[in-house]
Amino acid sequence: MQTKTGPLSAQIDRLVHEAQKREGIIPAPRSTDAEFLRRVTLDLTGKIPPVAEVRRFLADQSPRKREQLVDRLLASPGFVVHFTNVWRDLLLPEITSNLQLRGQIPEFEAWLRSRFQANTPYDELARQILSTPLDVNSQSQPGELTQDLTPRAYYVVKQLKPENLAAGTSRAFLGVRIECAQCHDHPFDSWKQQQFWEYAAFFANIEQNQPDQIAVTQNLRESGGRPQIKIPDTNRLVDATFLDGIQPEWEQGDTAPRVQLAEWITAQDNPYFAKATANRVWSLFLGRGIVDPVDDFSSSNPATHPQLLELLSHALRKQEYNLKFLIREIVNSQTYQRTSRQTDSSQSRVEWYGKMPTRGLSAEQIFANLVQATGFFRQTTEVDPFLLSQGPNTPESEMRDLFQTDSGNQLDPRATILQALALMNGTFMTNATSLEQSDVFTAIVEFPGSTISDKIEAFYLCTLSRPPSESEVKKLDAYISSAKTEEERTHAYSNLFWALLNSSEFLLNH
């Protein structure tokens, strides 16, 4: 039965269907309930659903159960935690490769979390980052949570350099790669070197008394007046100028440069901000942007579905940049809810969304899934959770370092031999599938009165979020029944658990 969809969801489906018809794409059928449950729970909360939720959802006969599930997930703490992680990585990509910068994570994460908890409009969130006062909490040390949370770490991580801030803010909030014009005019687009430095000049008044101490946030200040910057290797000074070529009107004691920039970026008539935001949100759920890569809006990289991008950006502005509204409409669309199983060769052209593409998971999602599926993780009640998750030699930090990638392409999840070996033979996986240390494994194997088939189903539900097929049950029942002793049978169950946790079906979103 088709579920009722909101007006925007229906318009999304109409525009995608028109493009598919024009391109000769035969769309795949709707996903199963189990497939949808796992996918949307991963996308909205960052981890697979618990077994109790799988059983409840699959038994629910309500025609609106998918919409109701989406509403529950959007209102859950898991949504806040997951989207804090997503936007942290989006805004601070430098922390994945620079250990020295990780001391800036706690305050920035706490600030982001508070914004997602309050469902702060995205344009307001962007304005706060772009214009945050830099002299607040100036005596705090790296890793120290202060009473007045601010996003100042955004500036510290980018080393307070105007060129880094220009490149980061234009990519994150405008979807353009103007840093390609930092040293010379852009070779493939219309951006000029002078435009890059005129934009960078908005950050030229930021000063630090200890410039060599990158991770220290003390003694930051921002001077007033018209900001100017010198183009490197030239004698030219340029004034701060928006990317549309217009200069702010500067007066003594006037609005600070970064506030002026924030207002221009988030203005209703800004040609980039709404489209870049809508495009990025779309990519989180469909695996690729309507403009792809998402931070490469340019004349040489046109949108595959320009009307759809216009529709999403207009709706986002109309809803005052409520991200939850846009997310809800996207995941309630039939475009999002198609199966990932290819049923026609035309569906291999991913830009036309004929089926749901198989996507890679972040390192944090993989670890969260393992913890959810196995119930194995050291208790952290007496340990600083920041040190536990970010410090060295912890299961989570090892998993993060192993699976962390700089690639923004969800559709190209390349596993290395080292990653595969770590999952197959690592200490965490060994303990997580043992009777002595895994709560879930122990509960399934020792549950009184359950049959072999019951146990097989339980292992599938807790790992793959679906019941096994009849052929899978038949083969596995024969394998486990062949065990001659109780010890051999326990080992057979452990092998089954291990195989499911190492399967591509577990390690990918689909």
Side-chain angles (χ1 to χ4, degrees):
M1 178 181 292
Q2 294 290 319
T3 59
K4 179 183 177 182
T5 58
L8 182 58
S9 294
Q11 292 177 69
I12 289 171
D13 291 330
R14 177 178 59 79
L15 290 175
V16 171
H17 178 69
E18 288 174 359
Q20 291 171 342
K21 188 174 181 180
R22 185 177 63 248
E23 296 293 326
I25 309 298
I26 299 175
R30 194 169 186 246
S31 60
T32 64
D33 282 344
E35 193 176 6
F36 173 75
L37 171 64
R38 183 182 189 273
R39 176 191 304 163
V40 77
T41 306
L42 269 171
D43 279 341
L44 294 185
T45 69
K47 61 183 178 181
I48 57 177
V51 173
E53 175 62 18
V54 178
R55 293 188 187 277
R56 189 205 66 77
F57 186 75
L58 297 184
D60 189 349
Q61 298 300 310
S62 168
R64 298 189 64 247
K65 67 178 185 180
R66 294 195 181 195
E67 292 177 51
Q68 293 165 350
L69 170 67
V70 169
D71 288 342
R72 289 199 302 274
L73 294 175
L74 286 172
S76 70
F79 173 82
V80 173
V81 172
H82 177 52
F83 273 76
T84 294
N85 294 338
V86 169
W87 248 261
R88 176 205 63 210
D89 291 345
L90 182 163
L91 294 167
L92 304 180
E94 300 89 347
I95 62 175
T96 63
S97 57
N98 191 329
L99 291 174
Q100 289 182 321
L101 297 177
R102 289 183 182 171
Q104 300 300 325
I105 294 176
E107 183 177 351
F108 192 76
E109 279 190 348
W111 179 83
L112 265 182
R113 193 177 302 116
S114 70
R115 289 343 184 236
F116 281 111
Q117 283 174 334
N119 197 27
T120 301
Y122 188 67
D123 60 336
E124 176 59 25
L125 184 148
R127 274 195 297 273
Q128 291 180 16
I129 291 174
L130 289 162
S131 61
T132 185
L134 296 179
D135 56 352
V136 177
N137 301 332
S138 60
Q139 301 305 313
S140 63
Q141 296 297 317
E144 178 185 348
L145 285 176
T146 53
Q147 185 175 3
D148 298 320
L149 297 173
T150 79
R152 288 186 336 127
Y154 185 83
Y155 294 82
V156 177
V157 165
K158 290 172 175 32
Q159 302 175 300
L160 307 174
K161 293 182 178 180
E163 59 269 34
N164 294 351
L165 291 163
T169 56
S170 63
R171 279 197 180 215
F173 302 121
L174 301 174
V176 294
R177 301 178 175 183
I178 62 169
E179 72 271 20
C180 295
Q182 180 173 343
C183 301
H184 46 71
D185 292 348
H186 198 299
F188 307 116
D189 207 355
S190 58
W191 301 115
K192 305 299 182 184
Q193 183 188 27
Q194 180 165 329
Q195 281 181 290
F196 174 85
W197 289 102
E198 286 174 341
Y199 181 81
F202 281 100
F203 306 100
N205 287 358
I206 300 173
E207 299 174 1
Q208 184 184 28
N209 292 342
Q210 299 166 304
D212 294 331
Q213 300 185 33
I214 295 173
V216 176
T217 61
Q218 293 180 335
N219 302 315
L220 297 184
R221 62 184 296 271
E222 186 170 18
S223 58
R226 180 195 300 265
Q228 292 182 319
I229 198 167
K230 182 181 177 183
I231 299 178
D233 301 321
T234 73
N235 291 320
R236 283 188 294 158
L237 275 176
V238 294
D239 295 325
T241 307
F242 302 131
L243 291 181
D244 59 5
I246 297 175
Q247 287 188 1
E249 294 189 11
W250 305 102
E251 296 180 7
Q252 189 68 28
D254 200 1
T255 307
R258 288 185 299 113
V259 174
Q260 295 256 31
L261 179 63
E263 292 301 325
W264 176 79
I265 284 179
T266 59
Q268 285 288 319
D269 58 352
N270 184 287
Y272 303 105
F273 182 69
K275 286 185 178 180
T277 304
N279 187 58
R280 193 178 289 277
V281 172
W282 176 268
S283 74
L284 294 175
F285 298 94
L286 276 299
R288 72 184 309 280
I290 300 168
V291 171
D292 195 73
V294 294
D295 55 2
D296 191 20
F297 277 69
S298 66
S299 57
S300 61
N301 188 37
T304 53
H305 300 69
Q307 287 180 294
L308 177 59
L309 183 57
E310 190 65 44
L311 171 72
L312 298 177
S313 60
H314 175 75
L316 190 59
R317 284 194 299 266
K318 187 176 180 180
Q319 293 292 325
E320 299 180 340
Y321 289 93
N322 183 339
L323 291 185
K324 283 189 177 182
F325 163 79
L326 185 60
I327 291 168
R328 180 182 290 108
E329 295 298 324
I330 290 173
V331 300
N332 277 331
S333 71
Q334 293 307 307
T335 301
Y336 174 83
Q337 294 188 22
R338 297 201 182 282
T339 181
S340 62
R341 300 188 307 276
Q342 183 164 316
T343 57
D344 187 87
S345 59
S346 64
Q347 295 158 10
S348 61
R349 299 169 63 189
V350 294
E351 67 271 25
W352 304 113
Y353 309 111
K355 67 179 181 69
M356 172 56 69
T358 299
R359 294 170 284 148
L361 300 176
S362 69
E364 283 167 318
Q365 285 178 304
I366 292 173
F367 184 78
N369 286 351
L370 287 169
V371 172
Q372 179 81 294
T374 65
F376 172 75
F377 191 45
R378 298 189 185 101
Q379 294 297 313
T380 65
T381 52
E382 296 183 4
V383 181
D384 182 342
F386 169 72
L387 294 177
L388 181 78
S389 62
Q390 303 298 335
N393 305 319
T394 66
E396 186 172 6
S397 66
E398 290 173 4
M399 198 71 64
R400 181 197 62 231
D401 292 339
L402 190 65
F403 285 90
Q404 195 69 56
T405 174
D406 293 330
S407 172
N409 188 355
Q410 299 180 64
L411 306 185
D412 188 24
R414 298 177 180 175
T416 66
I417 293 175
L418 182 62
Q419 290 169 341
L421 289 173
L423 280 179
M424 289 189 291
N425 304 313
T427 302
F428 181 90
M429 190 66 76
T430 300
N431 292 336
T433 55
S434 70
L435 190 65
E436 295 80 12
Q437 300 201 52
S438 172
D439 294 340
V440 171
F441 184 75
T442 303
I444 293 174
V445 172
E446 295 188 345
F447 193 81
S450 63
T451 65
I452 292 177
S453 295
D454 292 336
K455 290 177 170 55
I456 293 171
E457 180 183 67
F459 280 121
Y460 269 75
L461 292 177
C462 74
T463 54
L464 306 185
S465 306
R466 67 167 176 87
S469 66
E470 290 184 12
S471 61
E472 287 169 332
V473 172
K474 185 177 180 180
K475 291 177 183 177
L476 291 169
D477 196 316
Y479 165 66
I480 293 168
S481 296
S482 66
K484 295 181 174 59
T485 66
E486 195 63 34
E487 183 178 354
E488 287 183 2
R489 181 168 295 189
T490 299
H491 185 66
Y493 282 125
S494 178
N495 287 342
L496 167 60
F497 202 21
W498 178 91
L500 292 173
L501 293 171
N502 281 278
S503 69
S504 59
E505 188 173 354
F506 179 78
L507 294 170
L508 296 170
N509 196 357
H510 41 79

